[in-house]
Amino acid sequence: MITGAAEQHGPVVRALPPSLATADLGRIRGAVSAALTGFLEEQRATLSGMDPSLTPVVDEVCALADGGKRLRPAFAYWGWRGVTEDVTGPSEDDAAVLRAVAALEFVHASALVHDDVMDGALTRRGRPATHIGFAARHGDGGLSGDGGTFGVGAAILVGDLALVWSDELLRRSGISAPALARARSVWDTMRTEVTAGQYLDLLRAAGGLPGAQGALTVARYKSAGYTVQRPLQLGAAIGGAGPRAADVYTAIGLPLGEAFQLRDDVLGVFGDPAVTGKSADDDLREGKQTLLVALAEEEADEAGRRLLDEALGDPEAGEEQFAALRALIEDTGARTRVEERIAERTATARAAIADAPIAAEARAALDALAVAATTRTA
């Protein structure tokens, strides 16, 4: 295992049988959902006891936490399971670990809310984005002042509250005090990176961090790290693994997290809204400076660059402009190059999984998760 020499494995990883992979991910999702539901019911009682008008705030966090793919908790859980054979002392309780990793969903909810505010997104998971929903609530309630300003302010606070609750759920999860202390270091690093990544995204949208490398830097710190690398390391820390485990999980997590984010970028422009729960026009309307856009800019002719300058990020753009932008991304080969990078980074991650000195069951589960994360349609 992690504390010993790495075993050598063949290039092909034995994936979990579909029924087993589905059943176990279903178990993790169920446990995570139950942990979130129980915690949020307590918070609803607390906030409604303060004042009934706070109930919509809890409702919003509930909506954000409901129905996610639960990939981050799944990576963290299998990061833990991968190193448990190395533990010489008492092991952590499985249910407590699942409650601990469920806290990642609140970190994710916080990032989504703040990201939607900064991007001016209209929808999220098939419903109005948080700031849009609270702006509508302002109007429906006949409140004074500007509804848009109210909505943005409320969304910032909802995101902040989700981040606060992530700490509380982790602390109250039931994992041992030593495990909690070990987890804090990874937890703090992860949350710092997410926030820093959000700023880098803001900077890139304003013209900083140009080119393809700038897009990849933003992707790494804003999303890739806290999607795979840090959750894996969080699980290892809970399990009591040493520094070598962090390196092993970095070799898996960074390329896989990048592939995950690049898949997200492709779906943001070419995905089916009925499946993604988000308009395929939003990323173009917001002018999201993804790798797709950076590569299209590199290969576009003068007319293509003019189209990018005029239509990308134009809130008044319509279907004709969006269709032209999609065609440009296709015709310049940008989409093909991103798909090739997704395939290459996924292959790198899967090779690292195959060679990882972790429990065989965890290798198989992580490989199944890697495929699911990078071939998803939502």
Side-chain angles (χ1 to χ4, degrees):
M1 294 304 112
I2 289 291
T3 54
E7 299 175 34
Q8 293 302 312
H9 304 278
V12 178
V13 179
R14 179 187 61 81
L16 286 173
S19 58
L20 180 57
T22 300
D24 205 71
L25 185 54
R27 182 180 72 85
I28 294 170
R29 285 173 174 164
V32 167
S33 296
L36 296 175
T37 298
F39 180 87
L40 288 168
E41 285 175 354
E42 293 182 25
Q43 299 301 337
R44 184 187 303 279
T46 298
L47 265 65
S48 62
M50 293 167 60
D51 192 284
S53 61
L54 288 168
T55 302
V57 174
V58 185
D59 290 342
E60 186 65 21
V61 179
C62 287
L64 289 163
D66 182 47
K69 292 177 284 294
R70 313 301 194 209
L71 286 174
R72 292 164 184 84
F75 279 117
Y77 177 78
W78 283 109
W80 170 66
R81 287 281 297 275
V83 303
T84 51
E85 291 183 15
D86 291 333
V87 176
T88 56
S91 61
E92 298 298 319
D93 176 68
D94 189 270
V97 172
L98 284 166
R99 286 192 295 272
V101 301
L104 288 163
E105 289 295 291
F106 284 145
V107 177
H108 184 46
S110 174
L112 291 180
V113 174
H114 289 163
D115 192 46
D116 285 346
V117 168
M118 289 188 290
D119 289 344
L122 301 178
T123 57
R124 171 66 65 180
R125 291 182 175 171
R127 59 191 296 274
T130 300
H131 61 286
I132 299 296
F134 274 92
R137 186 179 297 276
H138 177 280
D140 294 341
L143 302 178
S144 61
D146 179 71
T149 301
F150 177 86
V152 167
I156 291 171
L157 295 172
V158 166
D160 289 348
L161 189 58
L163 199 59
V164 169
W165 284 347
S166 72
D167 266 1
E168 185 175 349
L169 180 54
L170 176 65
R171 177 177 56 81
R172 293 173 49 193
S173 63
I175 59 175
S176 67
L180 182 60
R182 293 190 300 266
R184 287 299 324 186
S185 177
V186 179
W187 188 257
D188 292 341
T189 297
M190 176 188 68
R191 296 191 310 151
T192 295
E193 286 178 347
V194 171
T195 305
Q198 293 277 32
Y199 173 76
L200 293 178
D201 188 32
L202 198 64
L203 179 64
R204 179 166 166 77
L209 295 176
Q213 187 54 53
L216 290 172
T217 298
V218 171
R220 173 177 178 175
Y221 291 110
K222 179 184 170 184
S223 179
Y226 95 98
T227 297
V228 187
Q229 179 198 17
R230 299 310 181 191
L232 285 171
Q233 292 178 343
L234 179 69
I238 291 172
R244 188 178 175 203
D247 294 337
V248 169
Y249 283 149
T250 291
I252 296 168
L254 282 184
L256 185 55
E258 181 185 308
F260 174 93
Q261 180 55 45
L262 293 180
R263 173 59 62 212
D264 204 55
D265 292 343
V266 172
L267 291 173
V269 176
F270 297 99
D272 180 355
V275 178
T276 64
K278 180 180 178 181
S279 169
D281 298 337
D282 279 0
D283 283 6
L284 300 174
R285 184 181 292 107
E286 296 156 17
K288 220 168 223 185
Q289 297 293 314
T290 64
L291 184 62
L292 281 170
V293 170
L295 295 177
E297 286 175 336
E298 286 181 2
E299 299 299 326
D301 58 15
E302 183 178 347
R305 287 192 293 272
R306 186 165 58 250
L307 173 66
L308 287 167
D309 288 341
E310 294 175 355
L312 187 69
D314 179 5
E316 302 302 321
E319 274 305 316
E320 184 177 344
Q321 290 95 327
F322 294 141
L325 285 168
R326 288 190 185 90
L328 178 67
I329 291 171
E330 293 271 19
D331 294 344
T332 56
R335 183 180 181 181
T336 297
R337 290 173 65 188
V338 169
E339 290 287 358
E340 289 171 348
R341 188 171 182 92
I342 291 171
E344 182 272 322
R345 300 306 278 162
T346 301
T348 297
R350 294 185 73 190
I353 292 169
D355 288 338
I358 58 177
E361 184 182 25
R363 278 200 304 272
L366 289 175
D367 189 67
L369 284 172
V371 173
T374 56
T375 60
R376 62 200 167 90
T377 57

